[in-house]
Amino acid sequence: MSVGGPADAATPPPPKPVKVEPVKVAKPKPVKKSKGHTDAGIGGTAWGDLSASEAASALDAAGVWGADRDQGSLWAVTSGSGAQAAWAKGLTGKDVTVAVIDTGIAPVAGLDGNDKVVNGPDLSFDGQSTGTRYVDGYGHGTHMAGIIAGHDDGFDPKHPDATGFAGVAPDAQLLNMKVGAADGGADVSQVIAALDWVTEHRKDHGMNVRVVNLAYGTASVQPWQVDPLARAVENAWNAGLVVVTAAGNDGLDAASLLMPAVDPHILAVGAVDNEGTSDQSDDVVAAFTNGGNATRRPDVLAPGKSVVSLRVPGSYVDTEHPEGLVTGDVSGRFFRGSGTSQATAVASGEIALLLQARPGLTPDQVKALLISTADPLVAHPDPAMGAGVTDVAAALMAKVPSASAGAGLPDGTGTGSLEASRGGEHVIDPANGDVLSGEVDALGSPWNSTAWAAASAKRDTWSGGAWNGRVWAGKSWAKDDWAAATWTGASWSGLDWATHPWSDASWQARSWRNRGWAARSWREKSWQARSWRSLSGTE
């Protein structure tokens, strides 16, 4: 995938940055990368998708970045989307919990407030070490969390200020469901387990989970009608959770959305490209958005071009892709990414605002409202725009459509193949290089799709910390974290989990990717629904 070319010319030199200390785990080993590095394992990401003139426009005369001058800042996103107008009316996402199924959430400034983040069970391969549990070693989940509900101390929604940071729904609570390891590796079975857990624990611990942000997808080789990942998101939807999914970053010519976005029961989000201006009349569908086909396209679009959110110092993307750093950001807090992931996070925040105002809405009604009030790209129409760009201000005022968005759709069965759902995306045991494949989950347990589908439909897949016949986590809450448990028995590779060197698995030390991460990583391909792009990098 290629989405735009290199910057037109060299960007102005940034001022000397303020030193920002990494999240306190282990000190990272620096990794040298050439400028404009692209990594085919990360969805064929292209870097440097803004021109030099756009980059320069975000800087003042002293070369310092300002959110009020940057069309990718959350100040610009929330102003243009109507979120700031909702804040002025007291709608900030309060009393709504958004589950973020991703690579974890780091306790960086903006996400470190009391009760902001609740940690569900860490189902990732990092979860067996206390130094890596819950924490975002990749940098993607934190970027999502900041967009959805981050905010600085002292933030006043009635009087927002461009010098402070705030996400779309700044008072929403976040449920951190970590499934992705420090290199982004996650098996589809981990995502299914997380969806089941959220569905079955949505009212736990004072939470009110109404939204699931799932910026993840696979190129499944079976129809959504039988895919277990599709069935898992449908079960969440039927339990009252609005599942917001990324359409994918394979480009407008891609013949299909990723799984589970291809399932028409849920909300599939593509990205809108602002073309570097605040004038919405020149907006287009972002070229990286999966276009799909006449049967299934994105439902709506949301801002996803060069979005500035919170950085995790020392994380994988921070170390491997310094071009994602925001030129002129003297605070050193921010990182820039483009993709349908970012658009998904914006939409999740908007839905939290809508559900605070109208808590009785069902997921079908939320989807119908967003579609019926979206703004089409009149000047640059494209089938991939779906209904158009979400308009939260209009959705807050509109009558609920009488027709259900999911009316007449058959339910998925979930009885298809787990291996087919992976769609060629596999994780690898770094201890011996064995690939996880076939009808086996990420802990090495046999997968019976018929038995799982029946249990999931009844919301009865988890028993304490056990799922699919194995113990993945502890049995209860320990303050604001779901307790951990030691994995036992054999992994899919035949090696006992007890033999894996968890104590050496600090994500910053990169021990899971020794001797060439491309061959030894937990993933062979990608955490599909993401694409990191900088303001100033070149390809």
Side-chain angles (χ1 to χ4, degrees):
M1 174 188 72
S2 179
V3 296
D8 295 345
T11 55
K16 186 177 181 180
V18 173
K19 184 178 180 182
V20 177
E21 294 298 329
V23 174
K24 298 297 184 182
V25 277
K27 185 177 180 181
K29 295 180 180 179
V31 180
K32 294 182 179 180
K33 284 289 177 182
S34 61
K35 190 175 182 182
H37 167 71
T38 58
D39 184 346
I42 305 179
T45 299
W47 307 98
D49 60 344
L50 290 189
S51 68
S53 61
E54 290 172 323
S57 69
L59 307 176
D60 66 12
V64 176
W65 175 82
D68 55 345
R69 295 183 294 273
D70 191 324
Q71 295 306 311
S73 73
L74 282 172
W75 172 260
V77 169
T78 55
S79 175
S81 69
Q84 289 186 23
W87 301 347
K89 298 176 181 178
L91 300 175
T92 57
K94 185 176 174 59
D95 299 325
V96 177
T97 305
V98 179
V100 181
I101 300 177
D102 214 286
T103 59
I105 298 174
V108 296
L111 292 170
D112 57 351
N114 291 337
D115 302 321
K116 169 56 73 176
V117 178
V118 175
N119 291 316
D122 186 335
L123 307 179
S124 76
F125 299 116
D126 293 342
Q128 291 296 288
S129 174
T130 56
T132 58
R133 188 175 301 136
Y134 313 124
V135 181
D136 182 11
Y138 190 87
H140 186 268
T142 303
H143 207 260
M144 301 297 99
I147 293 170
I148 297 166
H151 74 78
D152 283 346
D153 290 343
F155 167 73
D156 182 354
K158 296 290 182 68
H159 303 94
D161 185 337
T163 62
F165 176 84
V168 178
D171 287 333
Q173 185 183 54
L174 297 168
L175 170 59
N176 175 21
M177 293 297 299
K178 181 176 176 179
V179 296
D183 60 5
D187 185 60
V188 69
S189 62
Q190 292 165 295
V191 178
I192 292 170
L195 285 160
D196 281 346
W197 194 94
V198 172
T199 301
E200 294 169 27
H201 292 264
R202 63 195 183 280
K203 295 294 185 181
D204 274 18
H205 205 60
M207 297 187 299
N208 179 31
V209 181
R210 296 297 312 277
V211 186
V212 177
N213 187 86
L214 187 58
Y216 168 87
T218 72
S220 176
V221 293
Q222 65 194 345
W224 65 265
Q225 289 91 338
V226 299
D227 193 284
L229 180 57
R231 181 66 235 181
V233 294
E234 288 183 31
N235 288 335
W237 191 271
N238 293 338
L241 309 182
V242 183
V243 183
V244 191
T245 58
N249 296 328
D250 298 317
L252 293 172
D253 291 336
S256 175
L257 307 190
L258 295 180
M259 186 70 70
V262 71
D263 186 332
H265 285 276
I266 62 174
L267 187 70
V269 183
V272 62
D273 183 341
N274 58 39
E275 291 290 295
T277 76
S278 60
D279 182 359
Q280 296 179 355
S281 68
D282 66 358
D283 290 358
V284 298
V285 181
F288 50 77
T289 297
N290 281 37
N293 54 55
T295 301
R296 178 63 170 154
R297 299 192 188 277
D299 294 303
V300 291
L301 305 176
K305 170 72 177 299
S306 297
V307 179
V308 176
S309 186
L310 297 173
R311 170 192 173 209
V312 183
S315 65
Y316 176 83
V317 295
D318 188 59
T319 303
E320 299 285 298
H321 298 295
E323 64 270 32
L325 295 170
V326 175
T327 301
D329 167 29
V330 295
S331 73
R333 294 179 59 199
F334 302 119
F335 210 78
R336 186 183 299 278
S338 296
T340 56
S341 287
Q342 282 70 21
T344 297
V346 171
S348 290
E350 292 175 340
I351 292 165
L353 301 179
L354 185 59
L355 287 170
Q356 181 193 353
R358 306 167 80 169
L361 292 174
T362 68
D364 279 344
Q365 289 172 327
V366 169
K367 181 175 179 177
L369 272 172
L370 292 177
I371 289 173
S372 65
T373 58
D375 300 321
L377 301 177
V378 177
H380 303 283
D382 189 292
M385 72 182 182
V389 182
T390 54
D391 186 337
V392 68
L396 285 165
M397 299 296 295
K399 276 185 68 174
V400 179
S402 56
S404 166
L409 290 174
D411 290 335
T413 66
T415 56
S417 164
L418 192 64
E419 176 63 18
S421 187
R422 292 184 179 110
E425 309 276 327
H426 294 93
V427 296
I428 302 171
D429 188 336
N432 60 9
D434 279 8
V435 175
L436 170 56
S437 63
E439 303 309 300
V440 179
D441 71 20
L443 283 195
S445 295
W447 177 260
N448 183 320
S449 60
T450 301
W452 167 81
S456 186
K458 294 186 293 184
R459 301 168 199 164
D460 190 29
T461 63
W462 280 89
S463 177
W467 183 82
N468 196 35
R470 295 276 282 273
V471 173
W472 289 63
K475 297 180 179 180
S476 61
W477 293 96
K479 295 186 178 180
D480 285 337
D481 304 333
W482 188 268
T486 301
W487 290 354
T488 60
S491 74
W492 71 83
S493 68
L495 298 178
D496 196 291
W497 283 114
T499 67
H500 288 76
W502 301 117
S503 61
D504 297 326
S506 167
W507 58 261
Q508 299 239 20
R510 314 281 186 232
S511 60
W512 292 110
R513 296 187 286 103
N514 285 344
R515 297 183 299 280
W517 71 267
R520 305 288 292 178
S521 163
W522 280 111
R523 61 172 171 78
E524 283 186 319
K525 289 203 173 180
S526 66
W527 179 262
Q528 276 280 348
R530 54 95 162 76
S531 175
W532 296 96
R533 294 176 179 80
S534 75
L535 187 68
S536 59
T538 57
E539 188 174 49

